[in-house]
Amino acid sequence: MSELAERPLAAVTGASSGIGLALARQFARHGYDLVIVADDPAITAAAAELRDDGASVRAAQLDLTSYDAVERFYDLIVDEGRPLEALAINAGIGVGGAFVDNDLAAEMRLIDLNVASAVHLAHRALGDMARQGHGRVLFTSSIAATMPGPYFATYAASKAFLHSFAEALRAEVEDSGVHVTALLPGPTDTPFFERAGMQDTKVATGPKDDPDDVAREAYDALMAGEDQVVAGSFRNRLQTTAARVLPEKVKAHLHGRQTEPGSGD
């Protein structure tokens, strides 16, 4: 067997920056080769960095809001000619502001990326993993999944979908040798808030976790076969614990105070 074939293969979406790149670093540093994707040219620089960690990296610049792009990405994985051992479904975007004022096309694009592409890619990967009898899938959800999210309502709902979806899939495939883990980070120091147009919100101007710390906790949880991990600071775990007991109306009000435009001024 060649040295290449002996190395496990992992794939990461949204790997050009933030949590996605940090997750790819974790895989590279633990001896994985990688297939990575993002919709921006920075994916090339990300691949070069990961190769410095000793990984063989295939990178693609693709917009996963397109069905055909998801198919092309999975074809790249299959073309590696070896089993996919781990998949981090991480790509996601946010749209800040009041839903009725937001651009509908932007909201629908969010759903296409955060939800539709995740379902599509999970279906392709989990089928192959179940047939091979091993594999691990990580879904990047959010602590926003645990409560209503005024002023980024579609984003919070998409993360609630991913959390529920991951837990359901975990139950379905647990006897096949495949493990599914949901990652629930809190506010993290990434380009997310700028890209979502939320720079003037309280959550964007408040404390944030280091994406490398989040990714390290996520990787450890995935390898341990845990069902979910609330990564980052203690405040994230406190928030998710409170979310289990507070009424939805109260949670929506508290969350809205953090995400309302202008709240960070």
Side-chain angles (χ1 to χ4, degrees), residues 1-249:
M1 183 179 291
S2 70
E3 181 181 352
L4 179 66
E6 291 174 353
R7 292 173 62 92
L9 181 67
V12 183
T13 69
S16 61
S17 64
I19 293 174
L21 177 54
L23 286 168
R25 288 190 193 109
Q26 285 294 315
F27 285 114
R29 292 168 184 173
H30 285 87
Y32 284 77
D33 289 335
L34 287 155
V35 183
I36 60 174
V37 66
D39 67 352
D40 63 279
I43 194 69
T44 301
E49 175 192 326
L50 296 166
R51 292 186 187 108
D52 288 341
D53 284 325
S56 170
V57 183
R58 179 178 289 194
Q61 183 182 345
L62 295 167
D63 181 355
L64 297 183
T65 62
S66 158
Y67 182 97
D68 289 342
V70 178
E71 288 289 288
R72 288 198 297 275
F73 177 59
Y74 199 67
D75 285 344
L76 291 176
I77 297 171
V78 173
D79 286 348
E80 286 291 304
R82 46 184 160 153
L84 179 63
E85 298 293 343
L87 170 64
I89 298 178
N90 168 80
I93 53 175
V95 177
F99 176 74
V100 296
D101 296 330
N102 286 345
D103 178 59
L104 178 59
E107 299 281 11
M108 298 307 295
R109 185 172 186 274
L110 182 155
I111 294 169
D112 287 339
L113 181 60
N114 296 18
V115 177
S117 76
V119 172
H120 185 167
L121 189 53
H123 193 272
R124 292 285 185 258
L126 282 171
D128 286 346
M129 287 179 174
R131 284 185 287 273
Q132 72 193 22
H134 53 88
R136 301 176 189 275
V137 177
L138 178 76
F139 287 91
T140 299
S141 176
S142 168
I143 62 170
T146 64
M147 65 198 77
Y151 306 111
F152 64 162
T154 310
Y155 171 81
S158 74
K159 293 302 182 177
F161 175 92
L162 289 177
H163 187 202
S164 176
F165 187 55
E167 294 287 359
L169 294 181
R170 178 183 177 85
E172 290 186 15
V173 302
E174 62 184 353
D175 294 330
S176 70
V178 180
H179 300 284
V180 178
T181 301
L183 166 62
L184 282 74
T188 306
D189 189 12
T190 74
F192 171 81
F193 294 107
E194 180 180 357
R195 292 174 179 172
M198 297 178 65
Q199 304 98 310
D200 64 345
T201 62
K202 187 175 292 186
V203 66
T205 57
K208 300 178 186 66
D209 295 318
D210 186 318
D212 287 316
D213 293 339
V214 171
R216 184 172 57 253
E217 291 184 54
Y219 179 87
D220 290 346
L222 181 66
M223 293 301 123
E226 296 177 11
D227 66 326
Q228 67 175 38
V229 54
V230 179
S233 65
F234 176 74
R235 69 178 179 274
N236 296 335
R237 291 183 287 279
L238 183 64
Q239 187 169 331
T240 54
T241 299
R244 298 190 188 106
V245 297
L246 291 174
E248 297 300 309
K249 184 176 180 179

